[in-house]
Amino acid sequence: MSPTTFRCLYQHSVRLLTVIAFSMMTFSLANAQQAVPVSVKQVDGNWTLMRDGKPYQIKGAGGEASLKLLSQLGGNSGRVWGVDETTKARLDEAHKNGITVAVGLWLEHERHGFDYSDADAVEQQAKRTLDAVKQYKNHPAVLVWGVGNEMEGEGKNPAIWKHIEDICQRIKKEDPNHPTMCVIAEMGERKIQDMHQMCPSLDIIGINSYGGAVSVPQRYRENGGKKPYIVTEFGPLGTWEVGKNNIDAIDEPTSGAKAQMYRDAYASFAADQKNCLGSYAFIWGHKQEGTATWFGLLLPNGKKLAAVDALTELWTGKPPTNRCPEIESLTLTGGNVVQGEQQVEVKLKATDPENRILQTNWVLLREADQYVTGGDKQATPPDFSSAIKRSGPEGATLKMPTLGGLYRLYAYVDNGSGAATANIPLMVEGKALEEPGKKVKLPYFVYDDAGQEQMFSPSGWMGNTDALSVEDSTDNPKTGKTCLECQYSSTSGWGGVVWQHPESDWGDKAGGVDVSGATKLSFWVRGTNGQEKIKFGFGLIGRGKPYFDTAKKEMEVQLEKDWKKVTVDLTGMDLRRIKSGFFFSAASSQEPLKFYLDGIVFE
């Protein structure tokens, strides 16, 4: 063999070996992550979650905070609500720390305008969820697929359950290694029964529950639950489950009191060995929802709160070292209704279980525009902490802001490894608006055909607007010559209309009407068939907008065939700027809706 021939053969062999090596490396990288098989198994009538052939009881928390910390404290699983650009990193972090993840596949909500009767939109949503399953099905940290979160609303639209079943069927064909779960808000009247009947491919039911968390096992059985379930959110009483105080604010339990709520709920789930596969505490991190501290297990600086100590002991069977401090009391020396620039004194009593030195931080925020958000993102209210003139470990002195309205004073007590929180709401009497609405004489009609200038326009259309209509009608008006005929023609979904000022404005423009002095909003309504249920109210624009409604209220009304007068009590409300003077929201109950309105008036 000549030198030239040998050199050519050698170079060819090197290239061939390089190609083989690169191909093997590419194959190895593509298959570096292998799914850990997970299933649900029923033995002697008890459901068990099996992971890699071994029983796996979920000791989890949902949220975005450190999974390394969760693992160190005894947790074994995290939960996310949807798939986005952060999902891969979150799964990798989980796997690195021995944590699994319930991966949420977000489904849109009707209250946000999604129409489950729109076949194209529903199919696009199904394809999006399947794409996420294909992308992450082999990641070893995946535990279950969480199909949707509280997308069912009241649970009365069968199209949603049909969609859930379709997605679960497709997931099972694509990924046999992970169970499917659908997460609902509480249990409702028929949610559990309908899911069993209409979603046979669904493996697990996820239940979000707060005030009723302790009774979940009992109520699940009473509702006919046969499938295994996971409590996918639990925590303190929800902001929607707490009554208002004398200033129309809610009183928040201390972090120590909330810890006991977590403890009681967890103990109830753990005792249900028949159906419960485990739970996820809410929220692993912090969140502005109603208040700055209502649901967070951790503070923004990462410090744990007492509920984390309680969960650590429940997860590990051992009390934690370096426990959080405790706020025994936070009290006002006077009343909670004050004047602008008035001096306010508060007293604080806090202790530490290991007698460590405590640091105290005080914050005064404007109160949030609403307490019930449906879990939606809420902006942090404006900070007025400059009003705090003296502060220390035993209390604080404030010179209240001049701007009228609700405020909340927060006390944060820190012992170096953990913290405690408590707060007090305060009402400052006085002017709360720089630009009130146009003052009008009472009675003031939102709708009437008597010739009064009507500032409000039915311009804010919501939901499935293609199925909506609002027209003048001469069909048996209650007052005058005409009434309003309102229709929602779709057999699913929902639609609604808001009477706005200015027209088509959702809080970005000055305007509105000042109806101060009104004690009630009344209107006449009748249905075509009777028994229809429609939501009515006013004031939909929250404080996140520059020009918000200063008051709001809504109610569900069951209609009758004959005209029925409905009255909304306005006693004690701030009515100086009403920009959304009236609204209705109609959800179909599998048949079109038609109803009539007349004489909508502030008086």
Side-chain angles (χ1 to χ4, degrees):
M1 181 184 298
S2 69
T4 301
T5 302
F6 178 84
R7 186 166 55 251
C8 290
L9 287 173
Y10 175 80
Q11 291 173 344
H12 175 73
S13 299
V14 169
R15 285 196 297 270
L16 180 61
L17 289 171
T18 300
V19 170
I20 293 172
F22 180 78
S23 299
M24 292 180 67
M25 182 177 67
T26 303
F27 178 83
S28 177
L29 288 172
N31 293 272
Q33 291 186 325
Q34 295 292 330
V36 177
V38 181
S39 63
V40 287
K41 183 178 181 181
Q42 194 172 32
V43 179
D44 298 329
N46 295 337
W47 285 105
T48 302
L49 190 66
M50 306 294 292
R51 182 172 185 264
D52 204 17
K54 301 175 183 178
Y56 189 88
Q57 187 73 13
I58 296 170
K59 303 174 182 179
E64 299 178 351
S66 168
L67 294 179
K68 180 179 180 180
L69 177 62
L70 181 63
S71 177
Q72 290 172 343
L73 296 174
N76 65 3
S77 191
R79 181 186 172 215
V80 296
W81 284 257
V83 170
D84 57 24
E85 65 278 1
T86 67
T87 301
K88 175 62 163 58
R90 192 64 169 171
L91 289 170
D92 289 346
E93 180 191 1
H95 184 52
K96 180 180 178 181
N97 290 283
I99 296 285
T100 61
V101 178
V103 180
L105 304 170
W106 184 260
L107 301 183
E108 298 298 332
H109 295 200
E110 288 182 305
R111 66 187 179 88
H112 292 151
F114 189 81
D115 182 5
Y116 278 89
S117 66
D118 185 332
D120 290 338
V122 167
E123 178 60 22
Q124 289 175 9
Q125 180 165 257
K127 288 181 177 178
R128 186 180 71 249
T129 62
L130 262 293
D131 287 343
V133 171
K134 292 175 183 177
Q135 184 175 2
Y136 295 112
K137 65 180 182 179
N138 289 327
H139 200 291
V142 174
L143 183 68
V144 298
W145 299 112
V147 183
N149 183 78
E150 301 187 0
M151 70 282 112
E152 81 287 355
E154 294 182 357
K156 296 180 180 179
N157 186 355
I160 297 177
W161 303 128
K162 180 181 178 181
H163 186 47
I164 298 295
E165 170 62 16
D166 176 57
I167 289 176
C168 289
Q169 288 182 10
R170 297 192 197 191
I171 290 176
K172 287 183 176 295
K173 291 179 181 179
E174 180 64 37
D175 177 19
N177 288 316
H178 300 104
T180 57
M181 172 178 72
C182 178
V183 178
I184 57 175
E186 271 295 348
M187 301 181 207
E189 296 178 2
R190 286 195 50 85
K191 291 182 185 181
I192 301 301
Q193 298 96 315
D194 288 347
M195 293 176 82
H196 279 72
Q197 293 171 10
M198 302 176 69
C199 305
S201 300
L202 181 66
D203 298 309
I204 302 165
I205 294 178
I207 303 170
N208 294 343
S209 182
Y210 290 88
V214 171
S215 64
V216 162
Q218 176 185 344
R219 290 187 291 120
Y220 186 73
R221 292 191 299 270
E222 292 173 350
N223 277 274
K226 304 295 182 183
K227 295 176 183 284
Y229 71 86
I230 298 169
V231 182
T232 38
E233 290 179 21
F234 74 98
L237 287 169
T239 54
W240 58 94
E241 296 170 315
V242 178
K244 301 286 185 67
N245 62 18
N246 65 306
I247 57 174
D248 203 32
I250 54 176
D251 293 315
E252 180 175 345
T254 66
S255 55
K258 286 187 281 189
Q260 188 60 47
M261 298 177 192
Y262 281 92
R263 186 183 296 275
D264 292 343
Y266 187 94
S268 177
F269 314 148
D272 184 8
Q273 299 183 9
K274 182 178 179 63
N275 294 312
C276 187
L277 304 179
S279 59
Y280 291 93
F282 186 87
I283 182 172
W284 189 241
H286 61 91
K287 184 183 184 185
Q288 167 68 43
E289 186 170 349
T291 77
T293 54
W294 198 283
F295 290 109
L297 289 163
L298 305 169
L299 293 180
N301 61 10
K303 293 292 178 66
K304 63 176 182 172
L305 296 167
V308 175
D309 284 350
L311 291 168
T312 297
E313 185 170 359
L314 292 164
W315 289 336
T316 65
K318 300 177 182 179
T321 57
N322 299 323
R323 289 174 292 167
C324 292
E326 181 178 349
I327 294 177
E328 296 182 4
S329 63
L330 178 64
T331 57
L332 284 168
T333 57
N336 59 0
V337 180
V338 299
Q339 301 299 315
E341 299 190 334
Q342 180 178 328
Q343 182 170 296
V344 172
E345 300 281 346
V346 293
K347 294 182 179 180
L348 172 69
K349 185 177 181 181
T351 58
D352 186 79
E354 285 91 27
N355 296 316
R356 285 168 292 182
I357 297 174
L358 299 178
Q359 300 292 327
T360 305
N361 185 38
W362 298 86
V363 176
L364 181 69
L365 298 181
R366 185 82 176 186
E367 190 71 313
D369 63 299
Q370 57 182 323
Y371 296 126
V372 182
T373 69
D376 296 340
K377 184 178 180 180
Q378 188 176 47
T380 302
D383 191 313
F384 285 82
S385 297
S386 60
I388 302 170
K389 303 306 179 184
R390 180 195 62 83
S391 62
E394 296 181 351
T397 302
L398 294 78
K399 183 179 180 181
M400 295 303 295
T402 57
L403 192 65
L406 282 173
Y407 296 83
R408 191 171 293 263
L409 177 66
Y410 294 83
Y412 297 87
V413 178
D414 190 322
N415 66 7
S417 61
T421 64
N423 58 63
I424 296 176
L426 294 157
M427 168 65 79
V428 174
E429 290 188 320
K431 183 179 179 181
L433 293 176
E434 297 302 324
E435 296 189 53
K438 179 181 178 180
K439 183 63 179 175
V440 295
K441 293 182 179 180
L442 300 176
Y444 183 79
F445 286 88
V446 176
Y447 170 79
D448 187 64
D449 60 359
Q452 170 203 275
E453 176 192 4
Q454 293 175 358
M455 295 176 63
F456 290 110
S457 172
S459 55
W461 291 51
M462 309 177 294
N464 182 5
T465 57
D466 291 339
L468 278 171
S469 67
V470 177
E471 299 177 349
D472 287 328
S473 172
T474 57
D475 182 3
N476 185 28
K478 179 62 181 177
T479 63
K481 297 181 180 180
T482 62
C483 58
L484 289 176
E485 180 184 276
C486 308
Q487 290 195 66
Y488 181 70
S489 59
S490 177
T491 57
S492 64
W494 71 281
V497 176
V498 188
W499 275 252
Q500 299 170 306
H501 185 269
E503 183 177 341
S504 302
D505 176 61
W506 292 94
D508 297 311
K509 301 176 182 178
V513 175
D514 181 350
V515 288
S516 297
T519 58
K520 59 185 176 181
L521 167 65
S522 61
F523 57 95
W524 291 92
V525 63
R526 65 179 173 89
T528 304
N529 302 315
Q531 306 303 310
E532 300 98 335
K533 291 183 178 180
I534 311 291
K535 285 186 179 179
F536 298 102
F538 75 100
L540 283 182
I541 302 173
R543 292 180 182 271
K545 288 290 188 176
Y547 302 97
F548 53 87
D549 285 294
T550 56
K552 59 181 65 179
K553 200 163 188 178
E554 70 175 54
M555 62 172 63
E556 185 175 71
V557 178
Q558 183 167 307
L559 308 189
E560 300 173 4
K561 288 186 177 181
D562 295 327
W563 285 107
K564 172 181 180 179
K565 188 174 185 179
V566 179
T567 300
V568 181
D569 184 15
L570 306 180
T571 303
M573 290 189 173
D574 181 356
L575 303 172
R576 286 173 293 170
R577 185 172 64 203
I578 303 303
K579 290 177 57 63
S580 41
F582 187 76
F583 74 84
F584 73 79
S585 174
S588 175
S589 55
Q590 302 182 47
E591 60 182 22
L593 289 168
K594 182 193 290 186
F595 62 96
Y596 298 84
L597 287 166
D598 208 348
I600 308 169
V601 59
F602 287 91
E603 53 186 331

